[in-house]
Amino acid sequence: GAVVSQHPSWVICKSGTSVKIECRSLDFQATTMFWYRQFPKQSLMLMATSNEGSKATYEQGVEKDKFLINHASLTLSTLTVTSAHPEDSSFYICSAGTGREQETQYFGPGTRLLVL
Amino acid sequence: GQNIDQPTEMTATEGAIVQINCTYQTSGFNGLFWYQQHAGEAPTFLSYNVLDGLEEKGRFSSFLSRSKGYSYLLLKELQMKDSASYLCAVMDSNYQLIWGAGTKLIIKP
């Protein structure tokens, strides 16, 4: 149980385009989903927390207009990187939990984004 | 401020035992997690401790001392596939996960 999928796993795009990444909880309802970014050889950096049906909570320094998050259902959250630039190239990972306190986060496989 | 400390890198021999330490200073405590992350992959959950003591799960064990702000992950009978980064994360009083930078474990034959 507790499987989280992400799509796509790999994306290459031109600078200035927008990229949408999907995160799905396959066998449980995820009240809360988290989006992380990880640069090579660095730790996970939390970008935002999204709760189903409400606006995402962004971490300090993360531009909410650039990284649009939608958590429309209990099994799907999307992250859209708008007007992507080469510095946005990174490994984007989502995780999901049921929203209960002290809940384990289960991670998706990640999406590697390369902006040319 | 909130802080999680763990060694940057460790090396161990196949078949041996290794202990990865994690110390933390957070605003509140609602549990400590250990995750394994292979290069280029997302983290996978290993263990969760919220009470003091040792939790054993197969070859992996995790220990917690809340009074000392200290945890360790113990890996026994090391295998080459255990080469990975091991991430320590603490859930604070707001139920937010605070992540350590990870410990890269290198296993040598």
Side-chain angles (χ1 to χ4, degrees):
Chain A
V3 178
V4 177
S5 70
Q6 264 183 258
H7 178 80
S9 55
W10 243 114
V11 60
I12 302 174
C13 69
K14 292 182 179 180
S15 185
T17 60
S18 293
V19 175
K20 179 186 280 190
I21 303 170
E22 291 186 352
C23 177
R24 294 181 185 272
S25 56
L26 299 185
D27 53 1
F28 67 102
Q29 294 187 324
T31 308
T32 307
M33 285 187 171
F34 304 86
W35 287 96
Y36 292 85
R37 181 166 55 181
Q38 187 176 38
F39 293 105
K41 298 184 179 180
Q42 294 187 23
S43 187
L44 297 170
M45 188 191 82
L46 179 65
M47 299 176 67
T49 302
S50 74
N51 292 294
E52 186 264 340
S54 63
K55 290 184 179 180
T57 303
Y58 289 81
E59 295 300 301
Q60 195 172 10
V62 178
E63 300 173 58
K64 62 180 180 180
D65 294 330
K66 180 171 182 61
F67 298 99
L68 301 178
I69 292 172
N70 184 285
H71 192 163
S73 78
L74 286 172
T75 59
L76 173 64
S77 176
T78 60
L79 167 69
T80 301
V81 183
T82 62
S83 187
H85 291 287
E87 58 265 29
D88 298 322
S89 299
S90 187
F91 190 40
Y92 291 86
I93 312 171
C94 74
S95 70
T98 59
R100 295 196 304 267
E101 296 169 352
Q102 304 168 348
E103 184 64 39
T104 299
Q105 290 184 27
Y106 294 95
F107 286 85
T111 297
R112 200 163 295 281
L113 171 64
L114 177 62
V115 184
L116 302 176
Chain B
Q2 309 207 88
N3 194 50
I4 310 281
D5 284 319
Q6 48 182 134
T8 304
E9 187 174 296
M10 298 182 71
T11 302
T13 304
E14 189 178 15
I17 299 173
V18 70
Q19 177 175 312
I20 303 174
N21 296 325
C22 171
T23 58
Y24 62 89
Q25 291 176 313
T26 57
S27 54
F29 179 83
N30 280 301
L32 184 144
F33 297 81
W34 282 97
Y35 284 83
Q36 180 191 60
Q37 186 178 24
H38 284 100
E41 299 180 11
T44 56
F45 170 75
L46 288 179
S47 68
Y48 170 68
N49 293 69
V50 67
L51 299 176
D52 290 348
L54 187 69
E55 295 276 345
E56 296 187 75
K57 192 183 291 186
R59 292 189 299 116
F60 293 4
S61 303
S62 56
F63 171 84
L64 174 68
S65 169
R66 288 172 296 172
S67 62
K68 295 181 179 178
Y70 167 70
S71 173
Y72 67 72
L73 180 69
L74 190 71
L75 292 76
K76 302 176 185 175
E77 301 170 16
L78 286 170
Q79 302 175 9
M80 297 303 293
K81 67 178 181 179
D82 297 330
S83 292
S85 286
Y86 291 85
L87 309 175
C88 172
V90 173
M91 188 168 280
D92 69 9
S93 57
N94 295 318
Y95 300 98
Q96 298 292 315
L97 268 184
I98 312 300
W99 291 89
T103 298
K104 182 179 181 180
L105 178 63
I106 300 169
I107 310 296
K108 295 185 176 180

